[in-house]
Amino acid sequence: MYLTGNSWLHRTPAGLKLLLVAVASLLLFQVTSPWVFLPCLTVVVGLYATLGREGLAQLKLLRGLTVFFGILLLLHWVSGTLLEGFAVILRLIVLVLAANLVSVTTRMDDMLEAVMPLFKPLEWFGYSARKPALGVALVLRFAPHMMQIFSRLREAYQSRSGSRNSWRLLPPLAIQCLRMSDNVADALRARGGSEGLSDR
């Protein structure tokens, strides 16, 4: 998922990017007006545009969430809070895109080192700080990738059946995710596990 490059986003420290996304999440969850999220979405899309064509291509990951967004909007429409539903969806879009932007512009080892200080207190009790830090870094790295997998599965299903969504997509998605986790686990074992990763 990492986009190679030397843009200003690539050069920004991983810890700062993660902190900004965390602060933005806390602030945006206090907002209820959908009109506030429109300029936020414009800013995030503009940040992707600074990465060029490959950066804008990352916006396709939202296609994997259209079903989820549709269900949310339907529930809010039924409950008579349609405007609030738009606010919820726009908030999720902004935060998902912001988190993915960090993922595609941050190397894995940089993200690991940025997350590790959060788990340093575990070392006081004799536990490794790298293992939970690696788990968090892997989630941040591969969550957008799993959404892309679902989007490809849905496109393949649509080309065969004419329908965009079905519960039948869940088993192949689970298989793909399990296969990916096995491949990642094998790669980590070949490098000595979490402790084998470079400390730089």
Side-chain angles (χ1 to χ4, degrees):
M1 296 297 297
Y2 177 72
L3 295 179
T4 57
N6 192 34
S7 69
W8 66 275
L9 281 170
H10 288 81
R11 296 191 299 270
T12 303
L16 177 59
K17 287 186 283 191
L18 290 171
L19 178 62
L20 289 175
V21 171
V23 171
S25 301
L26 293 174
L27 293 177
L28 291 179
F29 269 102
Q30 309 302 317
V31 179
T32 58
S33 172
W35 307 112
V36 176
F37 296 109
L38 292 177
C40 295
L41 181 59
T42 302
V43 170
V44 173
V45 173
L47 292 175
Y48 276 91
T50 64
L51 300 176
R53 185 173 300 176
E54 289 185 346
L56 290 174
Q58 291 293 315
L59 299 176
K60 294 179 181 179
L61 72 90
L62 292 175
R63 289 188 299 183
L65 293 173
T66 52
V67 177
F68 177 63
F69 292 153
I71 293 173
L72 277 179
L73 199 60
L74 178 62
L75 291 174
H76 280 279
W77 178 68
V78 171
S79 62
T81 57
L82 188 59
L83 193 62
E84 182 181 339
F86 280 114
V88 170
I89 292 173
L90 287 173
R91 181 191 296 119
L92 287 174
I93 290 175
V94 170
L95 294 179
V96 166
L97 289 179
N100 183 67
L101 187 64
V102 174
S103 180
V104 300
T105 59
T106 308
R107 295 183 348 132
M108 187 66 184
D109 53 351
D110 293 333
M111 192 176 296
L112 177 61
E113 294 304 319
V115 173
M116 264 193 59
L118 299 175
F119 299 95
K120 280 294 184 182
L122 291 177
E123 296 181 350
W124 303 342
F125 304 98
Y127 296 100
S128 171
R130 292 184 70 83
K131 291 181 180 179
L134 177 61
V136 172
L138 287 174
V139 169
L140 293 173
R141 173 67 71 194
F142 286 105
H145 182 59
M146 287 187 286
M147 286 191 290
Q148 286 191 348
I149 290 176
F150 178 75
S151 180
R152 287 196 293 268
L153 288 172
R154 191 178 61 177
E155 290 174 357
Y157 181 77
Q158 183 182 10
S159 66
R160 290 173 173 82
S161 67
S163 176
R164 288 181 59 83
N165 302 295
S166 172
W167 62 269
R168 294 181 177 85
L169 293 173
L170 297 180
L173 175 64
I175 292 172
Q176 291 285 346
C177 292
L178 290 172
R179 184 178 299 169
M180 182 182 68
S181 66
D182 285 340
N183 292 336
V184 173
D186 290 339
L188 285 173
R189 279 194 292 269
R191 291 163 175 78
S194 62
E195 303 300 332
L197 297 177
S198 63
D199 285 323
R200 291 209 319 140

